[in-house]
Every structure is written in structure tokens, then in C-alpha cells.
Amino acid sequence: MSKTLPPISLEFFPPKTPDGVAKLAAVRRQLYVLKPQFCSVTYGAGGSTQDGSFAAVRAILEEGCEAAPHFSCIGASRESIRATLAQFREHGIRRIVALRGDLPSGYGGGSSGVGEFRYASDLVAFIRAESGSHFHIEVAAYPEMHPQARSPQADLQAYVAKVRAGADSAITQMFFNADAYFRFVDEAHAVGATIPVVPGIMPITNAGGIIRFADSCGADIPRWIRLRLQGFGEDGESIRAFGLDVISRLCEQLRAGGAPGLHFYTMNQSAATLDLVRRLG
Ligand code: FAD
């Protein structure tokens, strides 16, 4: 092992039932052995999961871990965002994952549905204008391009706009190609956007789920990985063993290349993330 493990952060989504809340609390207890730098909680754009998200954030803070709410601006007004920022401050939150978000289908909020903020860079600028340096602002980065972007160059410009608006660091969309990550970081550095870009790591535990999710968010699953996953059929044990090999190898490449952290999309499960970090030493 050439380098020590960089800081780890963990991502959860808000559970929808009391049973889910209890299960997530147990998962967090298991994962705290990894001493995460912070735990983030996703947020449903347009209001779908916002109360559950904030409840999970409060629970993490009470457990003594830094909590970072994801916070999306699509469909929101300046007033509603100002109120949420005040609530975050009251609860001692110092880190936010600032996003545009995607509107749930059928959402009809605001006159156009989009609200007063068009892009995440508008939200970052607003948070900075309202709160100075109080919050550490994380933004999303897309090594393989955001699916709605016109081109990789246009998407890089959108990323640079978030950095110029005041982002402190970035977390990437999931990816399986380390070269795409390193290329993105190099291109961002070349145009002066030098904030840390932490790779978002999705453990593979389920073939259908990962293929669907990757397809929906524009992440490329290399053909050799996709074919093997499909070939395992319902054999969950082989899928998990193969997934552990593939993703731990990806993390090794990222670590060796100097990635400043690893952000795990836990999917509210502990086993896959624990196995990966153990494998990494
Ligand atoms: P932006 O950075 O605003 O980009 C959105 C699109 O607009 C891109 O195609 C970009 O190229 C383009 N664009 C940006 N600025 C301009 C401009 N000035 N002119 C023209 N085009 C522009 N979604 C949720 O709903 N809840 C979550 O909790 C959540 N967490 C996430 C966490 C991470 C780490 C990541 C990577 C994604 C997450 N998402 C979440 C998904 C995210 O909301 C979607 O990918 C969304 O479509 C884009 O959000 P963004 O903040 O990247 O938007």
C-alpha cells in the first residue's frame, strides 16, 4: 500500500418509515468506526423528502459527527432559502452540499416550476452573499459530464462557475473510469478551478440497481463490467465479490493518483462500504 487512506465521507438518503429511521441509525453506528470526516444526507428537490432529510441531519449531529445537508435550489425562492440557511445555522451546521437538483415529474411549484434559482452556481453565490464564510460549500462535479449538458466543455464551464461563485470543494457523480476523474481534475486546474474534487464511490451490491442508476445519471459502466454483472444473473454473492474487486481497484487508482478524499454512496447499508474500506487497509 503506497499511501494512507484519504479522509472518508459518507452519504445517506432520508428513510421514509420509522423502521427505516431505526435501521439507518444502526447502519450509522456500524459505519462510525470509519471515523468519517462528515456524513451527508440527500434532499428531494421540490419538497419530497426535506423533513426526513433534516431529521437525519439532526440525528447525525446529535451523534457527534459533522453533518452536511444536501440542499437543492430548483423550485425554491430566495425567502425559502434564507429561512433554511437560518435553520441550518441554528442547528450548528457548517457544511452544505449545494445543488440545483432535479424537479420531481409533475411538480408545479413557482410560476415556471424552476423558481428563482436556475443553476447551482446561483445558489452558491446566494449562500456566500447571505452567510459569508460560515458554511463550507460542497458542489457536484461530473467527470463524465452531466447528462443535460451541451458538451463536456460547457459542463466544465458550469463547474468553474460554481467554483468562482464560492464553492470550497466538490464531490463527483459516481463513475467507474479513473481516467475520466483525473482528466476532469486536470482540466479544472488548467482553468484555475483548483478546489479539492472528492470522488463519489458507489459500491456495487446489486446488478440491476447499479445499471439503472448509472444509466439515469450518465455514468458509463465499461462493457466488461456490465457484461459480467449481467452474467451473474441472480447470484448476489458473486455480484458482491466482483463489485468489491472492481470498486476497491478503482479506489486504489484514485488513492495512488492523489484523490483528496473518498465519498461513499452508502445506499443506507453498512456492509459494502465497510468491506471496501477494509480491503483498502
Ligand atoms: P448545475 O451545476 O446547476 O448543473 C445543471 C446543468 O446545467 C448541467 O448540465 C450544467 O452543465 C448546466 N449549467 C449549469 N450552469 C449553466 C449555465 N450558466 N448555462 C448553461 N448551462 C448551465 N439531487 C437531488 O435532488 N438531491 C440530492 O440530494 C442530490 N445529491 C447529489 C449529490 C452529488 C454529489 C451529485 C453529484 C449529485 C446529486 N444530486 C442530487 C443530483 C443533482 O441534483 C442533479 O445531477 C442535477 O441535475 C444537477 O445538479 P447540479 O447541482 O450539478 O446542477
Side-chain angles (χ1 to χ4, degrees):
M1 217 72 64
S2 54
K3 290 191 173 181
T4 55
L5 206 57
I8 283 172
S9 50
L10 304 171
E11 181 170 315
F12 303 106
F13 58 83
K16 292 201 175 87
T17 61
D19 192 35
V21 170
K23 279 192 182 139
L24 179 56
V27 162
R28 284 197 306 268
R29 279 196 296 278
Q30 286 153 0
L31 286 169
Y32 284 149
V33 298
L34 303 178
K35 301 200 174 6
Q37 188 185 23
F38 66 91
C39 291
S40 77
V41 184
T42 63
Y43 183 88
S48 53
T49 63
Q50 293 169 4
D51 291 344
S53 182
F54 197 50
V57 164
R58 285 201 313 268
I60 292 165
L61 287 170
E62 281 162 16
E63 289 156 359
C65 184
E66 180 171 6
H70 292 212
F71 186 30
S72 63
C73 60
I74 200 156
S77 65
R78 282 182 190 76
E79 253 342 286
S80 68
I81 289 186
R82 196 170 279 134
T84 306
L85 291 174
Q87 199 184 20
F88 287 168
R89 287 179 83 122
E90 268 169 40
H91 285 83
I93 291 163
R94 300 301 301 257
R95 188 184 292 258
I96 297 176
V97 183
L99 302 150
R100 182 195 70 172
D102 289 314
L103 279 176
S105 54
Y107 181 78
S111 55
S112 65
V114 170
E116 295 177 12
F117 296 82
R118 188 141 188 221
Y119 299 114
S121 54
D122 301 332
L123 176 62
V124 175
F126 186 76
I127 297 171
R128 278 286 172 251
E130 292 279 313
S131 316
S133 57
H134 181 80
F135 295 107
H136 179 111
I137 305 178
E138 306 269 358
V139 291
Y142 300 86
E144 295 178 319
M145 196 182 93
H146 183 265
Q148 291 157 5
R150 283 192 313 278
S151 66
Q153 291 78 6
D155 207 31
L156 180 67
Q157 286 315 313
Y159 171 74
V160 171
K162 294 191 274 196
V163 177
R164 295 208 173 121
D168 294 295
S169 49
I171 302 171
T172 75
Q173 185 55 277
M174 62 177 264
F175 60 88
F176 296 102
N177 300 296
D179 284 345
Y181 167 81
F182 290 119
R183 179 91 198 179
F184 178 85
V185 172
D186 286 348
E187 287 178 350
H189 277 228
V191 291
T194 55
I195 62 170
V197 182
V198 173
I201 305 296
M202 179 71 85
I204 299 178
T205 55
N206 162 314
I210 196 107
I211 291 172
R212 271 194 304 280
F213 185 66
D215 289 348
S216 73
C217 72
D220 176 52
I221 302 188
R223 181 177 154 83
W224 67 274
I225 297 180
R226 190 182 284 260
L227 288 176
R228 278 169 180 74
L229 285 175
Q230 286 165 341
F232 290 127
E234 299 299 310
D235 180 358
E237 203 177 315
S238 298
I239 291 169
R240 285 189 293 277
F242 174 72
L244 180 58
D245 282 348
V246 167
I247 302 299
S248 56
R249 164 97 185 113
L250 173 66
C251 292
E252 280 298 353
Q253 290 173 300
L254 295 167
R255 163 161 67 175
L262 295 173
H263 180 81
F264 288 96
Y265 295 112
T266 68
M267 305 307 289
N268 290 6
Q269 306 284 330
S270 59
T273 301
L274 286 170
D275 287 348
L276 270 169
V277 178
R278 281 193 198 112
R279 178 74 75 92
L280 293 166

